[in-house]
Amino acid sequence: MIINHPILGPRDSAEFTYMGDSALLDRPDWKATDALAQFIDYGYLRDNPAGPHQELWYHEQGDRSFLVVTRDTTTHEISSVKLARDVARSRGRST
Amino acid sequence: MRYSGLRVIKEALTGHKGWKHAWRDVEPQVQYDYIVIGGGGHGLATAYYLARNHGAKKIAVLEKGWVGGGNIGRNTTIVRSNYLLDGNEPFYEHSLKLWEGLEQDINYNAMISQRGILNLVHSDAQRDAFVRRGNAMILNGADADLLSTETIQKRYPFLNVNNARFPIKGGLAQHRGGTVRHDAVAWGYARAADQLGVDIIQNCEVTGFRIESGKCLGVETSRGYIAGGKVASCVAGSSGRLMAKANMRLPIESHVLQAFVSEGLKPVLPGVITFGAGHFYCSQSDKGGLVFGGDLDGYNSYAQRGNLPVVEDVCEGAMAIFPMLGRVRLLRMWGGIMDMSMDGSPIIDHTHIKNLYFNGGWCYGGFKATPASGWCYAHLLATDTPHEFAKAYRFDRFEKGQMIDEKGMGNNPQLH
Ligand SMILES: Cc1cc2nc3c(=O)[nH]c(=O)nc-3n(C[C@H](O)[C@H](O)[C@H](O)COP(=O)(O)OP(=O)(O)OC[C@H]3O[C@@H](n4cnc5c(N)ncnc54)[C@H](O)[C@@H]3O)c2cc1C
């Protein structure tokens, strides 16, 4: 698989470490009253869809950036690659 | 019809005209007491033990494709019970004992071959860990044997014990481990279940559940609605996809694992060898092909095929430890979808929906579990209480912090 890195261009997926569903960007608020339930969900339950999946890839053998890759789990086709930083910011997770 | 040596001779003399289909091809009935979804090894074994151990009637196995088309027909056929943790070891040892008597039980030649399995050791720390594991196995009634480098060299003279990065410093052997012909297991259980009246319905995909007021009433299928008393999901790598139809999220990710077979060779490998440090394990089939594999590709997939970097990694592992394989040609390779759980251990439990049960999370090690999985799942379905060997395999172990994590990897499915 080739991942089209937004900064570095097309890179071999073997340079990356897969980090799972990009929902992991949305760490629950530890101060919420139902924080425990939310963290169990966050830590252990997954959508695991057959079809488009937004997932985190870490460019460990490259520039060390985290990417959010949208990839079809039934064909391995990649339809979009973004910097995780930008995605997190657009969700108000980071400044 | 019982299979026997005499029968083979008789059929040989009469032109093989007397053989019957191994199981009936039936139309689904409108209602069953038990609907098992998934005609892989675990589903068929569940149906068989429901009928045999619990005298259950009106059982159907619904399979979306054909019997043996899933992971039961894609794995590398290794059976063993070399686990460390209390939640696992009694279960897998029960499974190995069931394998030992399976062929007589189901009257089917599954080519069970206890040729032994050897896990190689390369460092002091690894030896300590394996000694501990071996002791845990012995405490649970399994067999374990710590081998010296000399013994290993004598038995497997072709191994490169002086590999610069991973010199072989011994190994943990389980002599009762070995291999079993995987599709024969599916066919044998299917035939035995059919003879006890189980309906095995192929080309019947479950497309949804009918759930009313928190109770599962039956399943929608590609061949119409089928009502069920108890509905038992048993679809391995498709677990996430199927349970989403009941609005359930699981502690599971689906990942692809590849396997490989070489051209046929004369007998060279007397047993199963795992070179965990180099992501490589291997056995030789009775036909002569070397059957081998390595790690997961390492990303969510339902595609039943993997990518080339893993092929390279596995072959490098092979060359590091078995330099004699350098000229062997690869014959076939394929992938299967693994239901990788958050702690690397399976789930056999009821769900929060009444009459809906779940069996899955087998990771890359569910073939060896086939008999015990069927045995314990049937027990749960028939009695509504977990079997004593499977009582740790519950959904709530994650929230209770009672993970069964053999490798201590944490909640990262691809690392188990
Ligand atoms: C390459 C590879 C190597 C492996 N090596 C080993 C090994 O050496 N030792 C070991 O112990 N384990 C091994 N495994 C793991 C083992 O094969 C699996 O854990 C085990 O087979 C899973 O259980 P099963 O046989 O019931 O699964 P499957 O055979 O996959 O059965 C599930 C069935 O459910 C059906 N299904 C799915 N969705 C639906 C639906 N909606 N409706 C109806 N039916 C449906 C599928 O078609 C399939 O037939 C390996 C797996 C792979 C892929």
Side-chain angles (χ1 to χ4, degrees):
Chain A
M1 285 188 300
I2 303 287
I3 295 178
N4 197 2
H5 192 301
I7 299 171
L8 301 174
R11 310 297 309 182
D12 186 337
S13 64
E15 293 174 3
F16 294 77
T17 304
Y18 179 74
M19 307 295 280
D21 193 321
S22 74
L24 292 174
L25 288 176
D26 303 316
R27 174 184 280 271
D29 177 3
W30 62 272
K31 286 176 287 192
T33 45
D34 62 342
L36 182 61
Q38 283 194 47
F39 269 104
I40 290 166
D41 196 287
Y42 175 81
Y44 297 112
L45 299 182
R46 297 290 179 265
D47 286 344
N48 193 22
H53 186 227
Q54 292 201 347
E55 52 203 24
L56 290 168
W57 290 75
Y58 171 49
H59 200 194
E60 192 165 23
Q61 309 288 322
D63 72 344
R64 305 277 179 112
S65 55
F66 278 76
L67 306 182
V68 173
V69 174
T70 308
R71 194 179 53 94
D72 191 319
T73 57
T74 61
T75 62
H76 298 165
E77 189 186 354
I78 293 174
S79 54
S80 133
V81 184
K82 292 182 181 143
L83 288 175
R85 186 183 59 195
D86 295 345
V87 175
R89 276 186 187 148
S90 71
R91 293 186 197 164
R93 302 284 321 171
S94 168
T95 46
Chain B
M1 181 209 289
R2 272 191 73 77
Y3 294 155
S4 66
L6 229 66
R7 182 95 214 175
V8 173
I9 296 169
K10 180 165 175 258
E11 290 299 331
L13 296 174
T14 52
H16 292 288
K17 292 200 189 80
W19 298 115
K20 297 208 185 72
H21 285 289
W23 60 87
R24 297 162 296 137
D25 184 19
V26 287
E27 285 300 315
Q29 298 173 28
V30 287
Q31 192 272 339
Y32 288 94
D33 291 348
Y34 296 93
I35 295 179
V36 179
I37 309 170
H42 293 215
L44 293 163
T46 301
Y48 171 64
Y49 291 120
L50 264 174
R52 173 187 177 279
N53 294 356
H54 303 280
K57 303 265 175 316
K58 296 202 75 170
I59 308 166
V61 177
L62 308 182
E63 165 54 48
K64 85 171 166 192
W66 66 95
V67 160
N71 289 341
I72 188 72
R74 292 169 184 269
N75 64 71
T76 41
T77 79
I78 299 165
V79 301
R80 56 188 171 88
S81 67
N82 53 2
Y83 283 72
L84 169 71
L85 300 176
D86 288 343
N88 277 330
E89 183 58 14
F91 174 86
Y92 286 102
E93 177 54 21
H94 180 55
S95 207
L96 193 52
K97 290 208 176 78
L98 289 173
W99 283 120
E100 287 170 333
L102 185 71
E103 293 173 315
Q104 287 68 33
D105 184 11
I106 61 175
N107 177 230
Y108 205 90
N109 179 8
M111 295 166 70
I112 292 165
S113 162
Q114 292 182 292
R115 55 185 70 182
I117 176 163
L118 172 67
N119 304 145
L120 296 174
V121 164
H122 313 282
S123 67
D124 288 345
Q126 209 180 10
R127 185 189 289 108
D128 287 349
F130 279 13
V131 167
R132 183 167 170 234
R133 175 137 64 104
N135 283 333
M137 291 162 65
I138 291 167
L139 283 174
N140 279 297
D143 64 307
D145 191 5
L146 196 69
L147 302 187
S148 66
T149 313
E150 294 70 50
T151 315
I152 291 173
Q153 238 175 334
K154 219 177 272 162
R155 185 152 190 231
Y156 309 100
F158 48 83
L159 282 182
N160 177 12
V161 295
N162 297 318
N163 179 281
R165 176 67 183 86
F166 294 115
I168 296 174
K169 297 290 186 191
L172 181 67
Q174 183 175 34
H175 302 303
R176 284 164 61 239
T179 58
V180 181
R181 165 111 199 257
H182 51 5
D183 9 47
V185 174
W187 301 329
Y189 269 123
R191 172 171 167 274
D194 175 86
Q195 287 180 350
L196 295 179
V198 173
D199 282 0
I200 294 163
I201 303 159
Q202 302 182 82
N203 299 313
C204 180
E205 177 172 5
V206 171
T207 53
F209 298 94
R210 195 172 287 181
I211 297 168
E212 276 171 24
S213 352
K215 187 173 169 190
C216 183
L217 306 176
V219 292
E220 308 289 348
T221 80
S222 52
R223 293 170 71 168
Y225 176 70
I226 305 174
K230 293 182 176 176
V231 175
S233 170
C234 201
V235 297
S238 302
S239 293
R241 214 174 185 173
L242 181 66
M243 297 314 279
K245 300 190 161 75
N247 288 324
M248 275 184 76
R249 294 165 77 229
L250 303 174
I252 288 175
E253 280 180 8
S254 294
H255 282 258
V256 60
L257 179 69
Q258 305 192 55
F260 310 83
V261 171
S262 77
E263 61 186 325
L265 306 175
K266 287 186 176 169
V268 288
L269 182 53
V272 183
I273 297 189
T274 75
F275 171 38
H279 313 160
F280 175 76
Y281 66 93
C282 190
S283 66
Q284 186 169 23
S285 79
D286 292 350
K287 261 197 287 185
L290 293 171
V291 182
F292 59 97
D295 269 359
L296 297 171
D297 270 41
Y299 42 80
N300 285 45
S301 176
Y302 283 93
Q304 293 201 130
R305 66 188 148 75
N307 273 298
L308 292 172
V310 168
V311 181
E312 190 176 11
D313 186 49
V314 169
C315 294
E316 280 170 1
M319 283 305 292
I321 210 83
F322 285 80
M324 71 161 177
L325 299 186
R327 289 177 180 234
V328 172
R329 279 166 296 186
L330 196 61
L331 189 65
R332 290 186 293 129
M333 52 193 267
W334 64 92
I337 301 308
M338 317 282 58
D339 34 344
M340 298 301 299
S341 70
M342 284 288 162
D343 60 356
S345 295
I347 293 160
I348 302 178
D349 203 356
H350 50 76
T351 69
H352 67 283
I353 299 162
K354 199 167 166 6
N355 287 348
L356 181 60
Y357 298 75
F358 180 78
N359 173 317
W362 292 100
C363 303
Y364 46 77
F367 176 63
K368 71 175 100 66
T370 305
S373 168
W375 186 281
C376 295
Y377 200 23
H379 183 276
L380 173 71
L381 289 164
T383 67
D384 266 318
T385 46
H387 190 278
E388 69 166 302
F389 295 141
K391 59 180 185 295
Y393 296 156
R394 312 292 299 271
F395 275 114
D396 64 5
R397 69 174 184 263
F398 300 98
E399 61 187 71
K400 288 188 170 160
Q402 294 166 349
M403 272 65 81
I404 315 169
D405 189 345
E406 286 278 333
K407 291 206 265 173
M409 287 298 187
N411 57 345
N412 195 341
Q414 85 222 37
L415 298 183
H416 290 297

